[in-house]
Each structure stands twice: as C-alpha cells, then as structure tokens.
Amino acid sequence: MSVIARRVHLAQRPIDLPDGSTWSVRDSELESPVDGEVLVKVTHLSLDPAMRGWLNDVRSYVPPVAIDAVMRASGVGTVLESRHPDFNVGDSVTGLTGIADHAVLRGEHLTHIDLSVAEPATWLGALGMPGMTAWFGLFDVAAAKAGETVVVSGAAGAVGSVVGQLAKARGCHVIGIAGGPDKCAWLTDELGFDAAIDYKQGPVHRGLRDMAPDGIDVYFDNVGGEMLDSALRALRLGARIAICGAISTYNATEPVPGPAHYMSLLVNRATMSGFLVFDYEDRYAEAVDGITALMADGSLVAREQVVQGHVDDFGDTLLMLFSGANTGKLVLALQ
Amino acid sequence: MSVIARRVHLAQRPIDLPDGSTWSVRDSELESPVDGEVLVKVTHLSLDPAMRGWLNDVRSYVPPVAIDAVMRASGVGTVLESRHPDFNVGDSVTGLTGIADHAVLRGEHLTHIDLSVAEPATWLGALGMPGMTAWFGLFDVAAAKAGETVVVSGAAGAVGSVVGQLAKARGCHVIGIAGGPDKCAWLTDELGFDAAIDYKQGPVHRGLRDMAPDGIDVYFDNVGGEMLDSALRALRLGARIAICGAISTYNATEPVPGPAHYMSLLVNRATMSGFLVFDYEDRYAEAVDGITALMADGSLVAREQVVQGHVDDFGDTLLMLFSGANTGKLVLALQ
C-alpha cells in the first residue's frame, strides 16, 4: 500500500514566535513499509512546549529539527499496514510520528496503547510524555515526600497538572502557579490543589510568601525566568528544584537573565537538578501503572484540550502554548 | 584570672568593601571563666571570604554579626585557665574565638588540636574549616570519582587548593581557575593540578573549551558570577556543581545577575547543590584523618599565607581576600 502523507516541514528557523513563514505543508508519497516497518494513520498529535527548543540551531538534548525535515512530534494512530511481527492492522499505537497524517515507522519505535484504559489524547498527556515527566520529575528527581510543600509552575499545563495531582496523592501540600483566575480555580476546585497563585495578579514571590510562609520543599519548574527566581527566594532547608522546562524563555530574542537568587541553594543546602524524561524510558511502565491506578480511583483527572483540525492547523495551534491559551495537554485531533 | 582582651567590633555595615569605618578596636576586661568555660590566649586568626557575608543584615545560614558585637572568626590558641574537665592549661585548641587576642569560651565549643601533626595555621586551613569544606564538598556533594574531570574556581585559595589536590589524589583530571600567572604556575608546578586557567588572561569559557574539550564532570564553585556561568556552558552529561561560595559577588552594590546558562542543567541532566560544612560536623574526624594521611605521604601540600600582626591589623588583612592578594589559607598570627 502506498499513501500520500500530508506533512508539516520546517521551512525556516523562527526568531521569536513561530509564524506562517516557519512552516511548509506538503503532500508526499510515502514508500511502502519494508520488513520491520509499520504504516500508521495518525489520528492525534501532541503539541509540546519543548517543540520551540527543537527549532533552534543549538546543541541540546536532541538535535535540532533540520531545515526541510518533517517537524518532530509524538502522535497516536492506527496501524494500516505492518511488516513487524508485534503489530497488526488496526492496532492503536503511539510514537514519534512527526506532524503528519500518515507515517512509516520502525516497529521498535512504536508502543501499543490500550484505548479501553484511556482516550487517545490521554495517551499523549497523563499517560504519555507529560505524565512520565511529572512522575519521574516529582518522585525521582525532586523526591517529594508526604507532608512536604510542593510548588509547581505551569500548573494548568500538561505536565504541571499531573505533578500537582501526584503530589496531592502522595500527601503533599500543593501550590500551583498559573495564569488567570479560571486556571487557578480549576486547580483548586477540580484538581484538589491546596492553593493557586495567579502570576498575572502580582509578583509570585509575594504569593509564595503568603501561601507558603514557612517556605517550600519542592519546586517543579516548567516556566523558568522570574518564576524560578521567586521560588529560589522561598526555599526551605534541604529543598529540591526539578528543572523540567522554561517556557517563559523559549521565544526570547535577547539573552535571558539567570536566576539571581541561586545562592539560596547554599543558604538552604538545596539542590537544583535538570532532567529529561527519556532517561527513564525503561521505567515508563511503572509510571503508567501508577497514573492509571490514580485515574481509576478518581484521584487524578487527566485533562486534554483537543483541537479538531488538520495537519495544516499545527502552526496556529502550537501558538496556544505560548499565549497561555490551553488548559491541560494540548492535542490536535486529525479529522 | 581576669584579662584585658583586645577585640575588633563591627562598628557599621559596609556598603561594598569593608574599610576603616567598618571596625572598632577596643580593649575590654573579660569576666573570669565560670564552670564549663575556658580562657584562651588566641595566637592565630582565620580570615575567610564568608566573613563578608556575615556583615550583611540578611537572612542567611548564620545570623549576621550584630552591630557592636565582636567580629565572628575561627581562631587557634592556648588554654590559659580552664573550668572544663576536658581542657588543661597549656592545651592547644581551636574554636570560634572571634577577632580577639583573648576569649572565654564554653568547653563544648572548643576542639583540641595536635601541633605535632601540623602547625597552628594549618589547623585553620587544610585541617580546619577550609579543608573540611573541600573534603565534603568534593566527595559528598559533588561525588567526584576517579577518571572524571574536576574544575575548581578560587583554586589558589584555602578551599580550592585543597579541593584540587584531593581530586588529584582520587584520580581525577583537575583544572584550577585562578588569577595571575604566579598562582597558576603554583597550581600546576607545586600542587600537581593538570592545568590552570588564568581568569585575568581571557574568558574562562574559552579556557575551559581548550583545557576540557570534552566538558567537565564536577565544578566546585568558590567564585560565582560569570565563572559559574562559564562552567555551566561546559558541563558534561550527569555533571555536578557544588556551590561553596561566590566571592566575586560578596562586595557587589548592584544586584548580581544569575547564571544565565542554568538550562544547561536540563540539557545535561546535571545538578547544582549548595552546601555548608557545618552540616558535616559529626564527620570532621573522617576528613581530618584523610587529609592528614595525604599530607603525611606528600600528596597534599597545605599552604597558608601567614600575616604577622595584631588584632588591629584584621581590617587591612581581610581585604587581601578580595583583591586576590593571598595564596592558600590567609591567617593572621598574633605577636
């Protein structure tokens, strides 16, 4: 079987926010799968803050997306044709499909998903990379323990919303930082956070002083910039900061100042660690089991913002991440 | 016995570098020791970069020195009178004597030292707080292992010179950062460092690129500021940064920028931890034994810069730390 795939290529590197000139949408005939390969019809695409970093021509944890290459992305889809023994036509799978409506991938780069456990979009959110990131960042990197005060930034996002709920389930006192009263109300009223700080309403360091007068034990950072600096000022003795991302800085065109209060690490004998979820790949099953169990007993709500559209809508939809327009995991469902 | 002690008090808090108006030297009659106390004749005073921080009226790991209080300092001396069962007249001891030629201290705040093992000044350097700081910072906080590349800033200072030699003894590749050709030559020629970078000769990040083209595993930071930022740019996967101090920033009158390249922690899954030597107090004996053994077999050279003088010379001598005038541990020996 040969198919025409509609795909989004990187046309040129953006200076600040990506725009129409960043992308080029093209139809290409895919080669039929050879031995070991699988043809997937993509139904759902994951839109991630990290995508912005992949567009810059700098050394990072993965190579930048090359000019003219198909934009890197995780997706969920259905097997149309398989030449790999582990996959059958009709199977539901997830993997790095790229921004495309069809993709040919090697079987070892695909994972089966069980749609009786959760919707496709959830397999890109709470049960996908964001959920894995939350689990290992909170429990392994930050080593959050019952009774501790945990603060998470980007708390209404795909990772942050899971971090806060996992911390609650572990018995922590949880404070989320998010933008706007609706997101903050969602955190406390729907997700069970103990408190929320609206960073649009005033300085975060004041919010932390009010909400966590005794300081914080764990800060899970998705935002970077000034918010990280505010958290540094609020650390308790022995605090741990897990650096997951820095969405506030990804579109910066000027050098971004570093966290001026980093010497709080010394005063408080605290630790700040960066991590990447890919390093925990051989333990994903542990996190999927843990999160599935919490979803089943109602103590964890997986939320996705699913935009219905076509691969052509990728560029515009991606911008929602940087304007703060999404709540929960942002997914583009292909119609 | 009652004695007149000559002591240096904090007269007012300095804005940038301390000067004559910072200090007030006074003679005071000391009360005779009561039960549990010991009268010490101070012979050697420790001058430390951390002293600058104790002068600022900010929350830190110890309270600031109060206006009018005797300046906090470690010292070595001889017991003149004892009302504590563990100490006899003539014993050599170390403790927080303050900048004074005599002090009355509680016995539990004093430690015996053995002058047959090392000179008094060494008990304030390689066998004192600086040596303890080097040992636990390098081996516990940064967990340096044989074969790794270790970079230390302030490498010709009291802590840095011990860090580098401990790392060499452990089988690491060691690069020191120091100011000026003499200090750099001392590091490589006398102390056995593999390389030295003179920060006065050019940007440290270029020096690191040349001397450690494959990156660094451990950075032991005494300096902060731009030097920390340069080290962040050079991290290898899994690197550890131990934050010991930030002498480049202690006299700043403007806000000091944070380390702009902190996201290197994420890219390299690296960790930056602050620590304080006091937290390792119950393990000092382990470090003293380890460092003494290395001194005995010649693989560790303890160096002190001993200034002969009086307590009145404290203010001027302290400034040597901030002008980079000293090599090794700076000690004021009282005549």
Side-chain angles (χ1 to χ4, degrees), chain A residues 226-304:
Chain A
E226 270 185 48
M227 227 175 275
L228 170 58
D229 212 34
S230 299
L232 279 163
R233 294 170 69 172
L235 297 186
R236 297 184 69 177
L237 219 58
R240 290 86 61 199
I241 297 179
I243 300 286
C244 175
I247 196 170
S248 72
T249 69
Y250 291 164
N251 294 294
T253 53
E254 300 289 322
V256 175
H261 290 86
Y262 84 94
M263 282 294 281
S264 170
L265 296 177
L266 186 149
V267 173
N268 295 296
R269 295 81 138 171
T271 288
M272 180 155 86
S273 302
F275 72 102
L276 282 173
V277 68
F278 309 117
D279 294 333
Y280 296 89
E281 203 168 0
D282 58 352
R283 291 174 53 197
Y284 285 170
E286 167 194 331
V288 168
D289 289 351
I291 294 171
T292 304
L294 292 171
M295 285 169 58
D297 75 12
S299 53
L300 192 146
V301 176
R303 164 120 166 217
E304 304 88 27

Side-chain angles (χ1 to χ4, degrees), chain B residues 31-51:
Chain B
E31 305 265 335
S32 292
V34 298
D35 275 353
E37 289 186 334
V38 177
L39 170 65
V40 178
K41 177 176 161 51
V42 182
T43 57
H44 296 78
L45 288 168
S46 175
L47 277 63
D48 295 290
M51 286 175 158

Side-chain angles (χ1 to χ4, degrees), chain B residues 138-268:
Chain B
L138 184 68
F139 295 139
D140 275 68
V141 182
K145 290 180 283 292
E148 291 190 320
T149 296
V150 172
V151 174
V152 57
S153 62
V159 175
S161 59
V162 178
V163 167
Q165 295 181 85
L166 289 178
K168 277 306 297 178
R170 182 61 59 105
C172 302
H173 184 78
V174 177
I175 301 168
I177 306 172
D182 292 349
K183 287 183 181 175
C184 287
W186 178 62
L187 295 179
T188 51
D189 300 350
E190 306 287 324
L191 300 192
F193 282 46
D194 296 290
I197 295 171
D198 181 354
Y199 68 81
K200 295 181 176 172
Q201 285 300 307
V204 167
H205 71 90
R206 275 193 219 145
L208 287 174
R209 203 179 48 200
D210 294 344
M211 302 290 189
D214 297 329
I216 65 183
D217 300 292
V218 167
Y219 178 55
F220 191 110
D221 192 24
N222 295 301
V223 171
E226 270 186 49
M227 226 174 277
L228 170 57
D229 212 35
S230 299
L232 279 163
R233 294 170 68 174
L235 296 186
R236 297 184 68 178
L237 219 57
R240 289 86 64 200
I241 297 179
I243 301 285
C244 175
I247 196 171
S248 73
T249 69
Y250 292 163
N251 293 295
T253 53
E254 300 289 321
V256 176
H261 289 87
Y262 83 93
M263 281 295 280
S264 171
L265 296 176
L266 186 149
V267 173
N268 296 296

